[in-house]
Amino acid sequence: MNRWLLPSLHFLSKSQVPLASLFEGFLNGHGRSSTQVKQIHWYHVRMSSNRNSFNGFRTYCSGRDLAAKKCVPCNSKDIRAMTEESANEMMPKVAGWNLVNEDGTLKLNRSWKVKSFTKGLELFQLVGNVAEAEDHHPDLHLVGWNNVKIEIWTHSVGGLTENDFILAAKINGLELHHLLRKKKAAT
Ligand SMILES: C[C@H](O)[C@H](O)[C@H]1CNC2=NC(N)=NC(=O)C2=N1
């Protein structure tokens, strides 16, 4: 997200508008009118996950921005588990993932039904490549031959850190459709 564009947007109305889609539409040229963008409240823009703000104007960090980030070493001395409130604030950036509290340990998880056992292993390989590149690893489950579940948390702190959300966002960016069973049409 090019935050230098933001000061050129002068505005405010009293209405609250969904932000990320408008900004993304405007900034990546998908034809949103400048009027729509002018309805954006400066103070409704959420803190980006790198906690930068510009002129009091904060940039919204989408899942795509998160996926572009790099995990930090989990044995770094200043890495801390985040609160459940902070984790909930991050959830909109990792569509499809669930936030769970397992005996006091916060985790992210997501499940898929794959076409076959071998397609499940292929999915694990794609995810594993990302995990190795980030040196941040999920727990992989393949049960009943075609039910995949991935759990992510930072073991070194016994909870969730930004690393977990970065990994989840990167997994969301993988092309997995060819491995997944088609969802049954709602009857
Ligand atoms: C040094 C390196 O950061 C650690 O070994 C990494 C490896 N992958 C990891 N993955 C996860 N999920 N949690 C960790 O604490 C962790 N530690």
Side-chain angles (χ1 to χ4, degrees):
M1 167 91 64
N2 177 347
R3 68 183 183 182
W4 300 105
L5 265 179
L6 303 180
S8 61
L9 312 173
H10 305 289
F11 21 88
L12 306 161
S13 66
K14 295 286 165 274
S15 68
Q16 298 187 5
V17 290
L19 186 58
S21 60
L22 278 176
F23 257 144
E24 302 219 341
F26 177 79
L27 295 180
N28 56 28
H30 284 177
R32 293 279 191 280
S33 75
S34 60
T35 310
Q36 280 180 316
V37 178
K38 283 176 184 168
Q39 289 172 342
I40 290 171
H41 279 266
W42 289 50
Y43 56 81
H44 274 263
V45 176
R46 304 296 302 273
M47 278 289 271
S48 73
S49 64
N50 62 12
R51 295 283 174 241
N52 275 344
S53 70
F54 168 72
N55 256 358
F57 189 89
R58 300 168 182 172
T59 55
Y60 180 87
C61 173
S62 70
R64 240 181 299 170
D65 300 2
L66 204 51
K69 299 187 85 169
K70 188 95 183 94
C71 291
V72 299
C74 296
N75 57 2
S76 141
K77 63 186 182 342
D78 52 9
I79 194 168
R80 296 274 181 287
M82 66 174 67
T83 63
E84 191 152 2
E85 183 189 5
S86 298
N88 272 304
E89 283 183 3
M90 297 281 283
M91 290 312 290
K93 301 171 190 177
V94 286
W97 290 83
N98 308 300
L99 175 61
V100 295
N101 187 329
E102 280 183 11
D103 305 325
T105 301
L106 291 180
K107 298 178 183 178
L108 299 177
N109 74 38
R110 186 170 184 180
S111 298
W112 294 265
K113 227 179 227 328
V114 288
K115 288 175 178 170
S116 68
F117 183 77
T118 50
K119 297 289 187 209
L121 296 179
E122 272 185 60
L123 186 147
F124 281 2
Q125 187 58 66
L126 293 173
V127 171
N129 294 342
V130 175
E132 280 297 289
E134 295 298 322
D135 193 21
H136 195 67
H137 303 88
D139 290 5
L140 305 175
H141 307 266
L142 175 51
V143 295
W145 67 270
N146 70 346
N147 297 288
V148 164
K149 177 176 166 184
I150 297 182
E151 292 181 301
I152 306 175
W153 81 98
T154 302
H155 297 237
S156 61
V157 300
L160 286 176
T161 64
E162 188 182 44
N163 279 355
D164 304 307
F165 289 89
I166 290 169
L167 183 58
K170 289 179 185 284
I171 292 171
N172 278 358
L174 292 174
E175 186 47 61
L176 302 176
H177 293 98
H178 63 295
L179 303 173
L180 306 179
R181 267 180 52 177
K182 300 276 177 287
K183 285 197 165 49
K184 286 199 175 63
T187 48

